Each structure stands twice: as C-alpha cells, then as structure tokens.
Amino acid sequence: MSKAIIESGNVAAAMAVKLARAEVIAAYPITPQTPVTEKLSEWITAGEMDAEYVAVESEHSAMGVCIGAASAGVRAFTATSSNGLLYMSEQLHWAAGARLPIVMCVVNRAIGAPWSVWNDHQDAISQRDTGWIQVFAKDHQEIIDMTLKAFRLAELVHIPVMVNYDGYYLSHTYMPFEPPEAERVDAFLPAYEYKHALTPEHPESLNTVTLPDARLDVQGIKRGGYMDIRHNLHEEMGKSIEVWEEIDQEFQLLFGRGGNPVIDPYRCEDADAVIVAMGSMANQFRVVVDRLRQDDGLKVGVLALQMYRPFPNTVIAEALQSAKHVMVYEKGLSYGSQGALYGDIKAALYPYPSRPRLHNFIVGLGGRAIPTESLYQTMKAACGQDLQIPPARTDAPQWIGLQL
Amino acid sequence: MPDPRFKVLTSASTSGPGDAGRTGSWRVERPVIDMSRCIPAKTGKHACHICWLFCPDNVVSKEIEPAIDLEYCKGCGICAQECPAQAIAMVPDADFLEGADSE
C-alpha cells in the first residue's frame, strides 16, 4: 500500500490529474479552486508533469480549449467554482452534446449576487441540465479517487464528468489520504483515444448545423439529427450509473478502496428516518446519526448521494422503501420551487409503493455555518413530527439558521 | 475507446458539399459571375480564385471559369463581397423562377 500523506483537498485533486497524465490543462483562477490550477502549473513548469498549461482569459475559453483538446484526442482537464462555472455554461452544453470526455473539478461555492466566496452547492445545481455527469466527494480520499475514476468513466461513456467538492470544507482543509500508486493508475486508466480525433490526415466536420431530421452524409452514411443525438446522450447518461459501479469495482481490486460509488449509506439498514445529503455535510451527519441513536433511541441513518447526474432514481427509491421519514438537507435550491435534490428524490419515489414523509431543509447557503447541534435539533424535531400533518406544510423547504 | 455498449452518436462527418443538408434551399439571392470581369476567366490563368478560397461551403470550383454548385450554395454572398474584380452579383433567386418577370 502507498503511504498516507496530509494535504489539502485541492492538492488531492491536482494529484489525481497528474496521476491521470492529463495532457492539456486550461483554467482561469477563481476562489476556492485556485490552488488546484496553481499546483498543476507549478508541476508543469518544473517539468514534473508532461502537459500543456493554457493560461486563458476566461472560464468560457478554458472550456473551449478543453473542447478543442478533447476533439483532437487529448486528455483535458479544467477546474472552476461558482460564477466561473456559470461563465462556461454555454460551453458545458457543447462539451456534453459533442460527447467529449472532459473532466472538471468544481470546488463548490455560492453564486453572486451578492458576492460570496463561501461554500454552497448552487453552482453545480444550476448546471444540472447541461448533460454532464455530476459526482460529489465528501472527503479528500474521495476527491483523489473520484477524480481518477471520473477520467475512466468519461472516456468509457464519452460524457464529460464534473467532480464536485465543497469549497473550504474540503478544498482548503488538510486531511490524511493515500495517493494511488502511479503504475497502478496507468493500468487502471489506459491512454485516451477518440474515434473522431481531428488530424490533418482525417479532417471531419464536427457538430456543424445539424438538421431536425436524420440525413445521408456525403458518403451516403445515415447520420442522426439533433433529436437523435440528444436522445442517445440521455439514454447513455442513464447507463453510465452501471459503468460507474463497474469502475468502482475495478478500482477496489487495484487500490483496495471503494464500494459505494452511487449512494453511501450509514446506519440505514433499520432506519425509520433517513437523511439524504451530498458532499462533506453527509459525513458531518454521521455524528448526528450516532447521537440520535444513542441519546434519543431514534433509528436514524444518513445516505450520502455521490452521483447527482445521472440521477440514480431506482437506487435511491429502493434504498428508501423501508423509511418512514426522509429528510433532505441541501445547500442549494430551485428558486421559487424547492430544493432541487428534494424534488428529484420526490420524483424518484413516486412510482414506488412506499412513499415516506419527506422533509426539505435548506442549509449553509453562502457559507452560513452549519452547526452539528442545529442538524441534531432539526432532525430530532422532524423525527417526532406527526405523520398526519398536512403534506403542504412539510413539503415546503425549511430554512435552517436564518438570521432575519 | 468507448465501452461497446455505448454508441456515442455525435454530429461528425466527412467535410464536403451538403454536409449541412441541401443548403441551396436556404438561398434568397444567388451569386452570378460576370466572366468578362472574372480574373481567371479573363486571363485564362489559374489566378485569384478568391471566391473558391472564401466560400464557407466549398461550392465554388477552382477552374478557369469558376462554377458555383447551386444545390448547396446558401447565398451568403461572401464570394461577391470578396471578389477583387467585383465580378459577382447577388441576384434574387425569385428572378430565376419559372414565370418570373423578365424585367
């Protein structure tokens, strides 16, 4: 086994990119992502990493460079946060529609206005419909492992992957983790090959105006229209859940870590109330679960959702069939509606016979502190709620920690 | 390489006329070359060919008398704009319809 080191979450991400032998890095600095790209540029300049670092003038260009690199058959990486992610939004849709296996770390941060450099999940949530696979890490070991697995997934399913981890809570804190051995990473992650790789010998037109109907190309080969291409992206995103599980098994054989790549349940087997959360907050909840079980005799568990897009409807719904209450805690929402994750979970449960009472909690927006005590108290109160309460009351998002 | 279970359908094709469909149907005005002013036609030499170079749809031939493939020419007018001899006029397509007013 390799030895554990103590480093920041951002360095864990950068180490994964180096181990993955990414060949083009194009990024624009934004807090709290900056140290990822600083580390990568430092290694490239020092000759420790064989890659081209393209210093771009915006996130839109960063994704544009990655699209160009991936189209030429080159493994590309970028990282961003918050408004930077939104600035590349148009290019995100493009990368997905073009089926380019780009990997990007998103160090989650609140969206302005007003300006906030602190953590929440609104950046990633707002980009959930771009056609990118979105995974969420909850500690440093997961950041490095998940980023490596993301390259493998992206290149097997030809869909870009966004690896999310919490700004500051994970990006700037130091934790012990084991970097995977380079030789084993090479065995795990073969060189990237793209069947449409642009070379002067084989020029192709990529993603030009594509008509509503399928058509015959200049060689008489039938080419799908826009709707066919987009249908397949949707279908193949769904199938990516299975591939993510297979990759996790391969990874486990080589590195001895893994096992719950889609959902990571903690004390959920006999739980009457199940908390659902993404990112570092899911780990914070383990303490709350232990206390509720020990001090209050409440059968509570926490389910960390690791893969948000594609949304694992079946996996989630089946995992929640025996729960009486499901409490969804999230750091983002669909304004004017409810928590985005909450809405997804509600939709996933609808076709199933057992529909537990759902509770939606909005926490930690713009870095508002999330004291473990407040999570404990809200959980305790929610567990004691009468199941006869009109659903409209529990269905509305409840904001925790407001200072109005 | 992608997993064989994944088709990875994209919009990729060999470049050529008609890559974006029968774009000739988009046209409102068509380029008409006046061969008495066109440099290669007038000199009988492979010179100029600016229209061939600039055409975004590869529909102008690189010949002494350049020909335009109207099946795919979408009438953008770049050739007319770029022609250094002002030999290309953009003429409304409606004028070429059967029964169009000859005036």
Side-chain angles (χ1 to χ4, degrees), chain A residues 32 92 97 106 168 226 236 247 286 298 305 370 379 387 395 401:
Chain A
L92 296 185
V106 174
Y168 304 108
Y226 182 91
E236 295 187 349
I247 290 169
R286 292 188 174 194
L298 293 166
L305 180 63
I370 309 171
M379 267 307 292
L387 285 168
D395 199 43

Side-chain angles (χ1 to χ4, degrees), chain B residues 48-63 66-68 79 82 88:
Chain B
C48 187
H49 293 307
I50 292 287
C51 50
W52 163 83
L53 184 66
F54 276 79
C55 176
D57 275 318
N58 301 311
V59 300
V60 183
S61 69
K62 198 179 174 186
E63 294 171 300
I68 293 168
C79 55
E82 296 298 333
I88 305 176

Side-chain angles (χ1 to χ4, degrees), chain A residues 5-23 25 33-54 77 105 143-144 147-148 151 165 174 177 179-180:
Chain A
I5 59 162
I6 297 176
E7 256 301 351
S8 72
N10 276 334
V11 169
M15 287 179 82
V17 178
K18 186 183 178 205
L19 284 165
R21 300 186 189 277
E23 296 163 278
I25 317 291
Q33 155 266 33
T34 308
V36 181
T37 54
E38 281 175 345
K39 201 43 132 179
L40 289 168
S41 79
E42 192 182 303
W43 285 331
I44 293 167
T45 308
E48 291 171 36
M49 186 176 166
D50 184 17
E52 189 77 31
Y53 190 97
V54 186
F77 174 83
C105 282
I143 293 173
I144 191 166
T147 304
L148 281 170
F151 279 104
Y165 56 92
Y174 282 63
F177 61 89

Side-chain angles (χ1 to χ4, degrees), chain A residues 250-306:
Chain A
E250 285 171 35
F251 192 89
Q252 209 171 357
L253 284 176
L254 277 163
F255 303 101
R257 287 187 300 274
N260 295 304
V262 178
I263 55 169
D264 190 4
Y266 176 74
R267 302 187 80 171
C268 286
E269 311 80 36
D270 63 337
D272 293 326
V274 176
I275 299 151
V276 181
M278 300 195 294
S280 59
M281 188 167 52
N283 272 356
Q284 190 183 355
F285 262 118
R286 292 188 174 194
V287 183
V288 175
V289 164
D290 291 345
R291 187 172 159 198
L292 284 165
R293 279 184 177 262
Q294 197 180 318
D295 296 358
D296 304 282
L298 293 166
K299 286 182 181 171
V300 179
V302 57
L303 194 78
L305 180 63
Q306 324 259 69

Side-chain angles (χ1 to χ4, degrees), chain A residues 98-99 156-158 196 204-207 210-211 215 218-219 223 229 232 236 239 242-243 246, chain B residues 1-22 26:
Chain A
R99 302 294 298 268
L156 278 174
V157 305
H158 265 260
H196 294 295
E204 276 191 294
S205 294
L206 303 179
N207 305 297
T210 300
L211 300 178
R215 65 183 169 87
V218 289
Q219 292 161 324
R223 299 288 183 183
I229 289 167
N232 279 22
E236 295 187 349
K239 282 200 281 182
E242 195 184 320
V243 179
E246 291 164 7
Chain B
M1 275 295 159
D3 182 288
R5 288 168 290 179
F6 288 72
K7 280 189 189 164
V8 191
L9 185 63
T10 58
S11 182
S13 54
T14 307
S15 306
D19 202 35
R22 296 202 179 279
W26 303 6

